Amino acid sequence: MVRITEDLIRKRAEHNNMEISTLEEVSLHQQDVEKIEYLDKWCRDLKILYLQSNLIPKIENVGRLKKLEYLNLALNNIERIENLQGCESLKKLDLTVNFVGELTSIECLKDSIHLRELFLTGNPCTQYEGYRDYVIATLTQLKYLDGKEIEKSERIKARQNLDSIAVKINIQQREYAVNREKEKQEAEEEAKLKEERKPGFDGRWYTDMDKQNENTSTDDKQETKTKDDDTDFWKEKTAYTPESRVAIHEHAQESKRKEEQNKKPGPDPPKRVVRLMTDDGKYLNVNEAKVDFTLTEDEENNQIILDVACYKHLDTSLLDVDVQPTHVKVVLKGKVLQLVLMEEVSPDQSMAQRSQTTGHLVITMPKVKQIVKAVPAKKPVCHSKGDQLQKNDTTRNHQNNRTHGGTLEVDPSAAKEVDLMVTKDKTSSIGPYQNRRKEFIERPNSEDFIDDPDVPPLI
């Protein structure tokens, strides 16, 4: 029997960071679950619940799910609709291919005012005369029944004939209940007969165990008999009942178990031992965890950086980092990632950090050998045009005030440094603006020019 456990729900809650208290959607289909439990205590915020293709015989432990909007219980062994009064927000209920024979049990859905869709296709109750009219008249809030839209005229007609239809439904329902009891008794008798015909613990009759000379032939016969029994089981015609579904499931599980035993006749082979170093003591590059990584060399900061693409939701407590001068080792859930470094690093100054967004593990390892770097030359300070002109004028004034004789001058105040400078003539010290000036040449008067004193000069 498969039960709903906390680990099972957490595995199905990967989209919610493994948190089950705030889980809004969970899929537990095809898990061979035989009972609904704990969901109303652990997942109070559930809105969508998938439980199809299981062996659930009864609807229970979902009444506290006040936010539940969609419940899928298709392909189960449910025979009665019940315990859904507390699901106040239920909008869609899928009970396709179950064993609902008590159609009057749908009255428990009257208080589900938000229920819009109901699927009962493949249930025995759908064979009743007046089934659709009875459901439409009983559940007035429904918009769709078995995927077909309910028309207004259809609802009015069904409500008018509800009394007569209810009588027919009750009669057919009682007949089905009687036949169902007979099916249960037949299933119990069949189970007892199979139990009586069951051979010994090793698959043989106890009387055959004394025949030591026929052990080999008996095993071959037993294997052949098992195959024949399996073929007969699947060819046998049986009624489609909850008991037959359980029997099919148990037979499939038994066949699977026998196949696994045949595949593994002996003990499990020993696990491969991961080799981290050679016989002469050299470390090897190993990626047992099979994770992506990047190993880069940061020359600017004189360090080596290892970026390991750990799983985003992997707990940090499952990681272990060991930095050595010549290699680094990372253990993820028992799987080793070991890399040999190209240069010697300082383990004491190394640092490991974990990203909260991507989950990556970044290991920074400073190198032992320091790199001597040249100090970059200072760039000249750029001045404005006015400051540059003022500086040029100051230089010219300084040059004009110096003694010019065409000889080398030595500053007597400088003890170690000698400033050698070849002086220039005064004529060459004229500034650029002075060289650009031109003398004003007065223009001669024309021949017909008359000097009239009454006319003012043009300025």
Side-chain angles (χ1 to χ4, degrees), residues 23-24 121 125 187 264 302 310 327 459:
L23 194 61
E24 295 185 356
T121 306
C125 62
K264 297 181 179 180
N302 193 30
C310 299
H327 69 279
I459 300 175

Side-chain angles (χ1 to χ4, degrees), residues 88-145:
E88 300 172 354
S89 304
L90 188 63
K91 296 180 180 179
K92 183 177 179 180
L93 178 61
D94 192 346
L95 292 170
T96 304
V97 190
N98 275 272
F99 300 93
V100 179
E102 188 177 344
L103 186 57
T104 55
S105 61
I106 64 171
E107 294 182 359
C108 71
L109 299 174
K110 284 185 176 181
D111 296 332
S112 301
I113 58 175
H114 299 288
L115 185 64
R116 295 294 179 266
E117 297 182 61
L118 177 62
F119 291 87
L120 292 172
T121 306
N123 287 271
C125 62
T126 58
Q127 304 298 325
Y128 297 167
E129 183 182 353
Y131 147 74
R132 183 174 176 85
D133 292 339
Y134 179 79
V135 176
I136 293 173
T138 305
L139 304 178
T140 57
Q141 71 273 29
L142 277 184
K143 299 295 182 183
Y144 294 89
L145 176 60

Side-chain angles (χ1 to χ4, degrees), residues 19-58:
E19 296 180 6
I20 62 176
S21 60
T22 59
L23 194 61
E24 295 185 356
E25 178 180 349
V26 64
S27 178
L28 298 174
H29 65 284
Q30 296 180 348
Q31 297 294 318
D32 299 331
V33 177
E34 298 184 19
K35 184 179 181 182
I36 306 174
E37 52 187 349
Y38 304 123
L39 292 175
D40 57 340
K41 297 179 181 179
W42 296 340
C43 312
R44 290 290 187 89
D45 295 336
L46 271 183
K47 292 184 178 180
I48 301 175
L49 178 58
Y50 295 100
L51 286 168
Q52 67 269 27
S53 300
N54 285 293
L55 300 171
I56 301 171
K58 182 179 180 181

Side-chain angles (χ1 to χ4, degrees), residues 19 31 33 48 60 69 76 82 85 92 114 140 172 198 218 253 327 344 356-358 361 410 421-422 436 438 453:
E19 296 180 6
Q31 297 294 318
V33 177
I48 301 175
E60 56 185 340
E69 297 179 359
N76 279 282
E82 56 187 343
Q85 294 87 344
K92 183 177 179 180
H114 299 288
T140 57
Q172 297 174 84
K198 190 175 181 180
T218 305
Q253 292 294 325
H327 69 279
E344 198 170 328
Q356 294 183 353
T357 54
T358 61
L361 177 67
V410 179
M421 181 176 178
V422 178
R436 292 179 185 177
K438 297 181 179 181

Side-chain angles (χ1 to χ4, degrees), residues 1 18 33 38 47 54 97 105 108 128 160 185 208 215 219 229 270 305 319 366 376 387 390 392 400 416 420 437:
M1 175 180 178
M18 303 293 182
V33 177
Y38 304 123
K47 292 184 178 180
N54 285 293
V97 190
S105 61
C108 71
Y128 297 167
Q160 291 175 349
Q185 293 177 1
D208 296 337
N215 284 342
D219 292 339
D229 292 343
I305 300 175
L319 296 175
D387 295 342
Q390 184 178 2
N392 293 337
N400 292 334
K416 297 180 180 180
L420 302 178
R437 290 181 181 177

Side-chain angles (χ1 to χ4, degrees), residues 434-447:
Q434 294 177 358
N435 291 334
R436 292 179 185 177
R437 290 181 181 177
K438 297 181 179 181
E439 293 182 0
F440 176 75
I441 301 175
E442 187 176 356
R443 182 180 177 183
N445 298 329
S446 60
E447 296 178 358

